[in-house]
Amino acid sequence: MFEGEEFGDSLKGENRIFSGDVFELVPSLCDESLDLIVCDGPYGVTTNGWDKVADIQEYNLRLLQLFSTKLKEGGALYLFGKQDCIDFIDYRPYLNLKTKIVWYQPSRLAQGRSTFTNNYDIICYFIKGKKPKSFNLDAIRVPQLVELEHRLRCENVPSVLNGKFGKTKFNGIGKNPGDVWGDIKQLTYRSRELVSREVLNTIQKPEKLIERLILASSDKGDLVLDAFSGVGTCSAVCKRLGRKSIGIEIDKSFVETARKRVANTQIQ
């Protein structure tokens, strides 16, 4: 935490990263003050010290309870995890689960010996209430997978012209990315944005992945909580895209790295 400054005062600043525990610092934020939360915390599946939690579902439920009071109506939460990260908890009193995004990573080197290798992470997309405050589809469209001529020909069939699929017409700037994302690859040892090999695959996510979440569910000037800041990917992307952010990270060495990274990030 910055010397002489209370965490709750961070709303007055922009793109600040604080050293501390999420469960200790977030309660001091004003209720309904956040537009978006990106939560890439423990998965509960590795031997890393930061990833060891007694019960990942109960841990995530505590996070959902905490975050629900800090989000504005319609605000979004993206919670990272594995297949069963929220399967055995009742999150419905707190937030509305819109979908589970599958981040598909076929290039993983690990090979299962007694079952099928896990090749994806889950990103749970929640909102507070029934209607999202922001969902900027045009900002996150991806290229169409079919040729234009064929797609336009399909639009002439009766089910599209006059039926319930009338709103699915071709859009020249691209399509909705859907809930399976295979177009964003993991970082590798050769990735220019990789901060260090220590954080490869377990801590540092690609900027392109975080960018899609921020563009979809926030607007310029919005306030984003980077709940487990790591090396500052989310906070850096927020600054580049003109969002304000508050980052929290318990590892002090990562805090310093993240602060330098954000300081060196240019606003677009």
Side-chain angles (χ1 to χ4, degrees):
M1 189 177 298
F2 290 102
E3 230 178 276
E5 181 181 34
E6 294 297 327
F7 178 73
D9 291 337
S10 61
L11 291 176
K12 300 174 184 177
E14 296 184 5
N15 308 111
R16 314 299 293 271
I17 297 175
F18 294 86
S19 176
D21 185 273
V22 166
F23 293 105
E24 295 176 0
L25 296 183
V26 170
S28 63
L29 290 174
C30 294
D31 288 349
E32 300 186 347
S33 59
L34 301 173
D35 298 285
L36 169 64
I37 300 173
V38 177
C39 181
D40 183 18
Y43 282 23
V45 296
T46 74
T47 58
N48 294 303
W50 54 265
D51 198 38
K52 291 181 180 179
V53 293
D55 186 313
I56 191 61
Q57 288 83 21
E58 289 300 321
Y59 185 87
N60 284 336
L61 181 59
R62 287 180 64 202
L63 289 172
L64 292 168
Q65 292 170 329
L66 177 62
F67 293 152
S68 65
T69 62
K70 306 306 175 183
L71 279 172
K72 295 178 182 177
E73 187 70 17
L77 162 67
Y78 289 99
L79 175 73
F80 283 71
K82 285 298 181 182
Q83 301 97 314
D84 61 349
C85 61
I86 60 168
D87 282 358
F88 307 111
I89 57 174
D90 187 5
Y91 45 77
R92 294 171 297 177
Y94 309 105
L95 294 171
N96 176 23
L97 179 65
K98 295 293 288 182
T99 192
K100 289 182 178 180
I101 299 163
V102 173
W103 180 35
Y104 175 51
Q105 303 150 51
S107 60
R108 282 186 174 167
L109 295 178
Q111 295 297 313
R113 295 182 179 275
S114 60
T115 187
F116 298 100
T117 300
N118 169 248
N119 282 333
Y120 66 93
D121 287 355
I122 291 291
I123 309 172
C124 302
Y125 167 44
F126 292 92
I127 64 167
K128 184 174 180 177
K130 295 183 178 180
K131 185 178 180 181
K133 176 178 170 290
S134 301
F135 191 75
N136 305 309
L137 177 57
D138 285 348
I140 60 168
R141 289 183 183 274
V142 297
Q144 300 281 355
L145 298 181
V146 292
E147 294 180 3
L148 174 60
E149 183 179 350
H150 173 70
R151 185 67 181 87
L152 292 176
R153 186 163 58 246
C154 289
E155 290 182 0
N156 292 319
V157 301
S159 62
V160 174
L161 280 176
N162 307 309
K164 63 180 181 178
F165 301 110
K167 294 182 180 180
T168 64
K169 293 188 176 182
F170 180 88
N171 188 304
I173 65 173
K175 66 172 186 173
N176 187 309
D179 58 5
V180 178
W181 297 354
D183 60 321
I184 301 176
K185 306 305 179 185
Q186 283 181 299
L187 298 180
T188 71
Y189 292 124
R190 296 183 177 182
S191 299
R192 290 185 178 180
E193 67 186 78
L194 183 66
V195 172
S196 75
R197 293 193 173 199
E198 179 187 359
V199 297
L200 182 64
N201 296 335
T202 56
I203 293 175
Q204 187 177 353
K205 295 295 193 295
E207 288 191 8
K208 188 176 179 181
L209 177 67
I210 303 302
E211 180 180 283
R212 182 173 291 175
L213 306 180
I214 292 170
L215 287 174
S217 295
S218 69
D219 302 308
K220 284 192 174 182
D222 278 357
L223 182 60
V224 180
L225 174 63
D226 181 8
F228 294 85
S229 195
V231 291
T233 301
C234 179
S235 296
V237 172
C238 282
K239 181 179 178 180
R240 175 163 57 82
L241 297 178
R243 276 68 168 171
K244 295 181 291 185
S245 67
I246 301 168
I248 300 174
E249 173 55 44
I250 200 166
D251 187 311
K252 292 183 179 180
S253 65
F254 288 161
V255 171
E256 293 307 313
T257 299
R259 286 177 179 171
K260 291 177 182 177
R261 186 177 179 190
V262 172
N264 292 328
T265 298
Q266 301 298 315
I267 301 174
Q268 284 186 344

